[in-house]
Amino acid sequence: EVTINYRHGLPVITLTLPTRRERCQFTVKPMVATVGAFLQEVQREDKGIVRAEVFATDGSKVSDATLMEVLLMNDFKLIINTTAYSVSPPVKDKLSSEHATEMEDIKSLIHRLYVALHLEDHQIKKERELLQKLDHLKEQLMPLEQMKARIMDSADAKTSRLLWVGLALMSTQGGALAWLTWWVYSWDIMEPVTYFITYGSAMAFYAYFVLTKQDYIYTDAKDRQFLHYFYRKSKAHHFNVEQYNKLKDDLAEAEESLRRLRQPLHLRLPIQEITNKD
């Protein structure tokens, strides 16, 4: 029969080896050992074991990655070669709250020591991956940046020309009104004309608000016209704005990850965790 006893807080599994027909004890560490590791240890002890598996009481096979701590919570079947053993682990006394807290502190300390010992290698590997990703993103962005610069220069030139044309038209209108007022007609005749011109301008500004849902502010109107020229030029040159924005976002995210990775460890820890450690 397979028996399980606890010795010094660790479970000791005793079973009969099929080849030598002698009892053998296996001490396992339930919090770190897995079912697969336990079965491999049994097979190493007796080379005549060709099959070693663990099944639950309902007949389902227990994965090799399952922790022994989980397995020992319920009854199970251990199959060695052609022999099946029904195993009933003893009920372990529950730890006191103080002992449980102490065990959690020990687990946390072990975890921090493991992280501290392996952090440098992991950090170097992660930094190398981020640098490779940055180089790849910059290589993809380089032709897009050059094309964007050309498109922006063209759109900015067209927008500036449009502004100068608007100034020229307003100057021409003012000069024509002055010429008609003082040299051709009189102010009494030109006053209604200027009124309707002003009223027409107000209607044009209101129509701009209806169409764009924005007030007619010169800087906003200039930016809107610039974007109109930019997107029209981008479509003509097959410049993918969405792809460019995604690459820029990925580049910024990678740079931020690299910056945080290169920070000292105490600067990357959350404030709450630092407080708890203190």
Side-chain angles (χ1 to χ4, degrees):
E1 298 296 332
V2 177
T3 60
I4 300 177
N5 297 310
Y6 281 89
R7 186 178 302 166
H8 304 296
L10 296 177
V12 179
I13 302 177
T14 305
L15 54 88
T16 302
L17 298 177
T19 303
R20 300 193 298 267
R21 306 300 301 173
E22 61 182 8
R23 304 283 286 175
C24 186
Q25 294 182 345
F26 298 89
T27 302
V28 298
K29 299 177 181 179
M31 291 184 295
V32 294
T34 62
V35 173
F38 166 69
L39 296 178
Q40 289 177 1
E41 186 177 354
V42 173
Q43 289 179 312
R44 281 197 302 268
E45 189 66 27
D46 190 343
K47 302 300 182 181
I49 299 177
V50 295
R51 182 191 178 193
E53 295 177 323
V54 175
F55 290 84
T57 54
D58 60 357
S60 59
K61 187 178 184 301
V62 178
S63 171
D64 290 344
T66 304
L67 290 175
M68 291 296 295
E69 184 179 20
V70 178
L71 178 66
L72 297 178
M73 291 181 179
N74 301 298
D75 297 346
F76 61 91
K77 289 184 179 181
L78 175 63
I79 297 179
I80 297 179
N81 290 340
T82 58
T83 306
Y85 300 94
S86 296
V87 185
S88 298
V91 179
K92 189 178 180 181
D93 296 336
K94 294 184 178 180
L95 297 175
S96 64
S97 59
E98 182 178 356
H99 192 191
T101 304
E102 183 179 354
M103 291 297 294
E104 291 296 328
D105 293 340
I106 294 176
K107 290 181 183 179
S108 177
L109 177 60
I110 294 174
H111 176 71
R112 291 201 298 269
L113 288 174
Y114 177 83
V115 171
L117 292 174
H118 295 78
L119 181 61
E120 186 175 356
D121 295 338
H122 173 74
Q123 184 172 350
I124 294 175
K125 180 180 178 181
K126 189 68 176 178
E127 184 175 352
R128 187 182 300 112
E129 292 176 355
L130 288 174
L131 289 175
Q132 292 176 353
K133 183 178 180 181
L134 284 173
D135 292 339
H136 181 64
L137 290 173
K138 290 179 180 179
E139 184 179 354
Q140 289 182 293
L141 276 171
M142 185 177 297
L144 296 178
E145 290 282 7
Q146 295 174 354
M147 186 181 298
K148 179 194 171 188
R150 292 194 298 268
I151 294 175
M152 289 186 66
D153 292 340
S154 177
D156 187 64
K158 285 189 175 182
T159 305
S160 299
R161 284 198 298 268
L162 182 63
L163 294 177
W164 284 105
V165 169
L167 179 61
L169 291 176
M170 292 179 66
S171 301
T172 303
Q173 176 182 285
L177 291 176
W179 178 67
L180 291 173
T181 301
W182 283 295
W183 282 276
V184 180
Y185 303 110
S186 64
W187 174 248
D188 294 335
I189 297 175
M190 294 303 299
E191 183 178 7
V193 177
T194 56
Y195 169 78
F196 283 109
I197 290 176
T198 305
Y199 185 75
S201 300
M203 289 182 62
F205 294 150
Y206 183 74
Y208 178 86
F209 172 77
V210 172
L211 294 175
T212 64
K213 303 299 185 294
Q214 295 178 352
D215 292 335
Y216 188 83
I217 302 174
Y218 290 115
T219 53
D220 294 343
K222 175 182 177 296
D223 294 338
R224 185 180 183 86
Q225 194 62 37
F226 172 82
L227 290 176
H228 173 71
Y229 287 138
F230 178 81
Y231 278 97
R232 190 171 67 179
K233 199 77 172 177
S234 299
K235 187 176 181 180
H237 286 75
H238 304 287
F239 177 75
N240 195 331
V241 179
E242 294 182 357
Q243 180 187 5
Y244 173 81
N245 291 334
K246 184 178 183 304
L247 289 174
K248 290 290 287 185
D249 293 340
D250 293 343
L251 180 64
E253 183 179 354
E255 290 177 345
E256 177 64 19
S257 300
L258 183 62
R259 185 188 64 81
R260 290 179 58 85
L261 186 65
R262 289 175 173 176
Q263 282 182 348
L265 180 61
H266 68 278
L267 295 179
R268 284 184 274 146
L269 292 175
I271 296 178
Q272 184 178 2
E273 185 175 351
I274 295 176
T275 306
N276 293 336
K277 289 183 178 181
D278 291 342

